[in-house]
């Protein structure tokens, strides 16, 4: 079993979340909301308005997302789904677990940190680093950049 930090279209309520519950892909279980221990740029870019976590630790914001426990089969599926390693790279980062509840909830008194896999971009067009950085992603958020789901492409 492995921990995976999801910050974009795979989160609950987002367009691709359903693939986590398809048993043909393996198993995934929600563990907690979380926030990256270090800041990273989370940007929305590309022709389909994808959320991208740029592998530039120390710049950007502490990004909120969700931590899932996944089995090896689901991890392999996610690698394929995220076109890893060609498009995204699966790397490890530290995530602070947050109390369950609404986004922006207070952190627990004794924060717990875990090591998680994350799908981020190590190579990207240089101008992406200059785009607005977000601390959380919602495909229908106030940014006005609607995600174009795969089934519509």
């Amino acid at each position: 079993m492995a921990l995976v930090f999801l910050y974009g279209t795979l989160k609950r309520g987002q367009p691709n979340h359903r693939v986590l519950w398809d048993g043909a892909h393996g198993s995934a279980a929600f563990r907690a909301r979380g926030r990256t221990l270090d800041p990273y740029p989370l940007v929305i870019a590309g022709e389909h308005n994808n959320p991208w976590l740029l592998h530039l630790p120390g710049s950007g914001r502490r990004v909120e997302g969700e931590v899932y426990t996944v089995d090896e089969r689901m991890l392999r599926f996610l690698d394929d789904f995220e076109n890893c390693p060609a498009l995204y790279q699966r790397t490890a980062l530290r995530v602070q677990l947050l109390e369950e509840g609404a986004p922006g909830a207070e952190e627990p008194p004794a924060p717990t940190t875990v090591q998680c896999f994350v799908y981020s971009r190590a190579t990207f067009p240089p101008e992406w680093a200059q785009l607005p950085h977000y601390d959380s992603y919602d495909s229908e958020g106030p940014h006005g950049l609607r995600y174009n789901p795969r089934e519509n492409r």
Side-chain angles (χ1 to χ4, degrees):
M1 301 298 266
L3 294 177
V4 178
F5 178 71
L6 304 177
Y7 58 85
T9 65
L10 288 167
K11 293 188 313 183
R12 295 177 294 179
Q14 297 304 307
N16 294 321
H17 182 71
R18 68 190 177 284
V19 303
L20 293 177
W21 306 122
D22 185 338
H25 302 147
S27 71
F30 176 80
R31 177 159 175 191
R33 290 184 324 99
R35 182 182 300 130
T36 59
L37 207 53
D38 295 317
Y40 288 85
L42 171 60
V43 301
I44 302 171
E47 74 175 295
H48 302 295
N49 291 323
N50 290 69
W52 307 96
L53 189 73
L54 306 183
H55 191 71
L56 294 172
S59 67
R61 300 180 180 190
R62 292 183 63 205
V63 176
E64 288 192 22
E66 299 173 348
V67 176
Y68 288 80
T69 301
V70 300
D71 66 5
E72 187 62 32
R73 191 163 151 200
M74 179 60 77
L75 194 58
R76 286 192 310 271
F77 168 79
L78 289 173
D79 283 352
D80 289 341
F81 188 81
E82 298 291 12
N83 196 10
C84 175
L87 191 57
Y88 285 93
Q89 292 74 49
R90 177 166 39 104
T91 58
L93 54 64
R94 303 283 301 163
V95 172
Q96 179 180 10
L97 300 182
L98 304 175
E99 288 182 313
E100 291 191 43
E106 293 298 316
E107 298 169 1
T112 300
T113 60
V114 294
Q115 180 107 348
C116 296
F117 286 124
V118 67
Y119 293 92
S120 63
R121 288 289 301 258
T123 58
F124 47 86
E127 61 271 16
W128 284 14
Q130 306 309 313
L131 292 171
H133 297 173
Y134 299 94
D135 55 13
S136 183
Y137 175 78
D138 184 332
S139 63
E140 297 184 18
H143 48 71
L145 301 169
R146 296 285 303 254
Y147 172 72
N148 183 25
R150 292 172 182 220
E151 58 269 15
N152 294 346
R153 297 177 195 174

